[in-house]
Amino acid sequence: IFHYIDNRRKVHKEAINVCQKILQQKPIDWKPIFRNNLSEPIHNVDMVVTVGGDGTLLQASHFLDDSIPVLGVNSDPTQAEEVLDGFLEDQIVPSKLSRISVSVNSKVLPTCALNDILIAHPCPATVSRFSFKIRGDDETCSPLVNCRSSGLRISTAAGSTAAMHSAGGFPMPVLSRDLQYMVREPISQGPAISRLMHGLIKSDQSMDASWFSKEGFVYFDGSHVFHTIQNGDTIEISSKAPVLQVVLPHLST
């Protein structure tokens, strides 16, 4: 195990070195920063390059609005140089990925999720009680669904291939503005209700949820960023958050 971890550390360090050498050869000003040192929103830059896995890009996304594109570099820094050159020469246009906006008791939370959110009790073995309905911009509503389960997961299109897919969800086109939701481990209440446990929140809709357990968290893109909720809180979820501009080579024109 130690050998594997040490090898991954060396690979990651080499990727950082390659990226730095690439940037040093370009007619641009740049500044390196470790992810653990991010604490304030990122402003006054033309582009952010993240070096690492998906978690590094996800963490950086929490500090970015919709005005700054991000390029994620994982295991192939050489491809990043091609993409960076294309961006600098205006040959590559960043793709706009949807994010999730969350309001608790009508107050918009400062964090937007790029992959997914999970609304659950802090203890995963605890049964939570909550209800939800889907509301359209025209104020039409779906039936109210009352749930007893281990939580509620909502994903973006980008996050639909992650935990949502592993739980039985379906992959979505990455540029879709819709959200996918799934009640996690529901206690069955009959076929009429079961069909409402998994579905879509369209771009012109939002989900209105009410939390009826003593404790709860809204987790953003994993377990590190969360917001506390309590009995009686109302939660609104939608894709009406600022998009994230991401340079995706296979979708660029």
Side-chain angles (χ1 to χ4, degrees):
I1 294 175
F2 175 80
H3 176 74
Y4 172 80
I5 294 174
D6 188 55
N7 181 66
R8 296 307 304 166
R9 180 190 64 81
K10 292 177 180 177
V11 170
H12 178 62
K13 187 175 181 180
E14 179 60 24
I16 293 175
N17 291 337
V18 171
C19 287
Q20 288 181 328
K21 290 178 181 178
I22 291 172
L23 292 171
Q24 288 168 355
Q25 298 170 2
K26 305 299 176 184
I28 55 177
D29 295 323
W30 59 279
K31 175 184 177 182
I33 184 171
F34 286 103
R35 58 184 287 183
N36 290 339
N37 292 334
L38 284 174
S39 59
E40 300 292 335
I42 300 173
H43 297 299
N44 302 320
V45 299
D46 297 306
M47 187 181 202
V48 169
V49 179
T50 64
V51 184
D54 292 345
T56 306
L57 192 150
L58 285 172
Q59 182 173 353
S61 74
H62 296 161
F63 297 91
L64 293 168
D65 59 18
D66 55 359
S67 65
I68 301 173
V70 59
L71 167 62
V73 178
N74 195 337
S75 59
D76 190 1
T78 56
Q79 185 187 28
E81 181 173 16
E82 299 175 6
V83 176
L84 181 60
D85 286 340
F87 177 78
L88 294 174
E89 297 168 4
D90 294 326
Q91 295 177 351
I92 290 181
V93 178
S95 301
K96 297 179 179 180
L97 301 188
S98 293
R99 291 193 279 188
I100 302 174
S101 173
V102 180
S103 298
V104 175
N105 298 328
S106 300
K107 181 179 180 180
V108 179
L109 300 186
T111 303
C112 299
L114 178 59
N115 260 9
D116 56 29
I117 65 169
L118 175 65
I119 306 173
H121 192 277
C123 175
T126 299
V127 174
S128 300
R129 291 171 173 79
F130 56 91
S131 66
F132 68 85
K133 60 184 177 182
I134 308 297
R135 174 171 52 83
D137 287 347
D138 58 359
E139 298 302 322
T140 58
C141 289
S142 69
L144 182 68
V145 181
N146 294 299
C147 299
R148 295 173 64 226
S149 82
S150 62
L152 175 66
R153 187 183 303 279
I154 299 100
S155 83
T156 62
S160 65
T161 57
M164 178 65 75
H165 192 211
S166 298
F170 51 85
M172 301 165 63
V174 71
L175 298 183
S176 172
R177 295 281 289 167
D178 298 340
L179 304 178
Q180 184 177 170
Y181 74 87
M182 179 181 289
V183 176
R184 193 174 69 162
E185 301 172 330
I187 296 176
S188 178
Q189 298 181 7
I193 297 298
S194 295
R195 64 181 178 84
L196 300 174
M197 296 294 176
H198 179 209
L200 289 176
I201 306 169
K202 296 290 187 177
S203 59
D204 61 348
Q205 296 176 326
S206 60
M207 173 181 281
D208 293 338
S210 297
W211 186 253
F212 298 121
S213 294
K214 184 177 180 180
E215 299 177 81
F217 286 159
V218 181
Y219 295 97
F220 292 80
D221 292 328
S223 60
H224 298 294
V225 180
F226 56 85
H227 180 85
T228 303
I229 54 176
Q230 58 188 1
N231 185 24
D233 282 349
T234 58
I235 309 155
E236 182 180 351
I237 305 107
S238 75
S239 61
K240 298 176 177 65
V243 298
L244 182 69
Q245 295 193 66
V246 180
V247 180
L248 302 172
H250 59 288
L251 292 179
S252 301
T253 56

